[in-house]
Amino acid sequence: MSKVVYLDYNAGAPARPEVAAAVAAALTEAGNPSSIHGLGRAARHRVEQARARVADLVEAEPAGVVFTSGGTEANALALAGCGRVRRIVSAVEHPSVLDAGDAEILPVDGHGVIDLTALDAMLAADRRRAVVSVMLANNETGVIQPVAEAARVAHAHGALLHCDAAQAVGRIPVSLVRLGADFLTLSAHKMGGPCGVGALVMADGGFVLAPILLGGGQERRRRAGTENVPGIAGFGAAARLVRDDLLLGDTMSEQCRMRDRLEREALARVPRAMVIGDGAARLPNTSCLALPGLAGQTQVMALDLAGVAVSAGAACSSGKVTESRVLAAMGLTPEIRGSAIRVSLGWASRLEDVECFLVAWGELARRKGFEVSRPVAAA
């Protein structure tokens, strides 16, 4: 099979070589991190080293990092672990938050940005203890939310603030302290780590989180079950790598340049196309393109045949294609939201990948009868 141009990093990034090496090394050693013999202590060292690296990535304390099976479990732990409280979640959250049950929906504007005035009014109207959940960056559009401002509103009313930062961490600098969040969700495979491991990072506020998995006393009695040592070791390796990338700033700047070129060229070549969310601050790696009149899933399948992997919305429904609740919450018409695809870049993306996408996508539009202009000169 010929090489596939992978542009679906928001669904999951390929593991970085250093991550694969860390996972392989952990797999070759026996030892339960709860055992007190030498092998057990060695496994415990791997876990605690990774915990420190994950904490360092988001400027948190290692004691606040709770390792989980992924972002979905971390979101569930944050929402259920707060007990029987009122839940307010934004209309553009990941399904693991939206489908948590019995939640009030915080609306967003046409750019997909939360309504802070509405949040203030919702909290003022009902004084019950509450937890507010607002993602840092949307997985479909890349739109960045004003989480720090939302945290200030929530705290002014005595509410807690949970932030799903799975898509943002590793793509923009993230600080638990500066965000003011009480809980932060992370997912390793979004940043080039292994699948099946994530974390809920807790602020140092003395809050006692009720576990949703019971059994042993692992993770300071906040998440029972033997730790996934290979996955956690890989998570720690990925955290260290993306922290170094962010400190240098080169990766983020290059991805932003590639994304901007992709969007500029796409609109120049196919005038009917549009970029969703471009009126708001966005992740540097994410582009949500719509071509009204051509179904998103048709575009995805045709691009796949051309050797280019993108997605239509979020890759979190076991391969099912469903209407985007995110784009619907933004007030977009059925024709626009049904024609949207997501192109997302990552650590191994190159400008030639963007060019391959543009050629394949432009040719698809031409075949389907859309007006296609000649490509503009390279930037």
Side-chain angles (χ1 to χ4, degrees):
M1 181 178 178
S2 59
K3 178 181 180 294
V4 174
V5 174
Y6 187 74
L7 296 174
D8 199 16
Y9 277 75
N10 284 13
R16 298 173 68 149
E18 300 90 339
V19 168
V23 172
L27 283 169
T28 62
E29 296 183 3
N32 186 313
S34 295
S35 299
I36 62 173
H37 51 61
L39 292 175
R41 294 196 303 272
R44 172 56 56 191
H45 174 73
R46 289 186 187 276
V47 170
E48 297 310 318
Q49 181 183 61
R51 195 187 309 277
R53 288 173 174 173
V54 170
D56 191 41
L57 176 61
V58 295
E59 298 184 350
E61 292 298 323
V65 175
V66 183
F67 286 119
T68 67
S69 64
T72 292
E73 185 193 334
N75 285 339
L77 179 58
L79 295 174
C82 291
R84 302 187 63 167
V85 298
R86 182 184 177 206
R87 298 188 183 97
I88 299 175
V89 307
S90 91
V92 294
E93 294 300 305
H94 187 272
S96 61
V97 172
L98 280 171
D99 294 341
D102 195 27
E104 300 170 54
I105 303 301
L106 173 64
V108 298
D109 64 18
H111 300 299
V113 178
I114 60 169
D115 186 336
L116 291 168
T117 301
L119 175 61
D120 186 59
M122 292 170 75
L123 289 167
D126 187 336
R127 294 294 184 177
R128 287 179 297 162
R129 187 163 173 262
V131 59
V132 177
S133 187
V134 176
M135 61 173 26
L136 183 50
N138 186 262
N139 49 305
E140 294 185 42
T141 64
V143 169
I144 297 172
Q145 299 292 350
V147 172
E149 292 86 343
R152 284 193 285 271
V153 172
H155 293 158
H157 291 278
L160 296 169
L161 192 287
H162 164 250
C163 175
D164 180 349
Q167 289 292 351
V169 172
R171 291 163 184 157
I172 57 174
V174 176
S175 167
L176 179 65
V177 174
R178 286 197 289 271
L179 287 175
D182 299 288
F183 308 102
L184 198 67
T185 288
L186 311 180
S187 180
H189 77 109
K190 303 296 186 182
M191 62 177 77
C195 288
V197 60
L200 183 67
V201 185
M202 301 174 58
D204 183 17
F207 183 81
V208 178
L209 190 72
I212 58 176
L213 294 179
L214 305 177
Q218 294 89 350
E219 296 301 295
R220 294 177 171 83
R221 297 193 174 276
R222 297 174 298 196
R223 199 270 187 184
T226 301
E227 292 92 343
N228 172 10
V229 179
I232 290 170
F235 192 1
R240 182 181 60 180
L241 290 166
V242 297
R243 179 181 178 275
D244 291 345
D245 288 345
L246 290 169
L247 286 174
L248 291 172
D250 295 341
T251 300
M252 187 167 61
S253 297
E254 180 59 23
Q255 287 182 12
C256 190
R257 284 192 291 270
M258 288 191 289
R259 183 206 63 187
D260 289 349
R261 173 164 174 76
L262 184 152
E263 293 178 353
R264 183 173 63 249
E265 285 275 322
L267 297 181
R269 297 182 190 202
V270 187
R272 193 174 176 186
M274 60 184 295
V275 177
I276 296 173
D278 60 345
R282 290 179 296 152
L283 293 176
N285 80 311
T286 305
S287 180
C288 186
L289 291 173
L291 185 52
L294 185 57
Q297 54 264 44
T298 299
Q299 297 177 58
V300 170
M301 289 186 290
L303 288 167
D304 184 43
L305 291 173
V308 180
V310 300
S311 66
C316 54
S317 302
S318 299
K320 294 182 290 185
V321 176
T322 57
E323 182 178 276
S324 168
R325 291 189 287 187
V326 170
L327 303 186
M330 294 169 64
L332 297 173
T333 66
E335 183 182 35
I336 292 174
R337 60 183 187 251
S339 70
I341 62 172
R342 181 187 67 193
V343 184
S344 48
L345 309 168
W347 65 268
S349 298
R350 300 293 181 266
L351 185 58
E352 50 264 37
D353 298 332
V354 170
E355 297 301 331
C356 287
F357 164 80
L358 289 167
V359 169
W361 187 72
E363 176 59 21
L364 169 63
R366 186 194 63 77
R367 292 198 310 268
K368 294 297 184 179
F370 289 87
E371 176 189 351
V372 177
S373 305
R374 291 179 58 187
V376 299

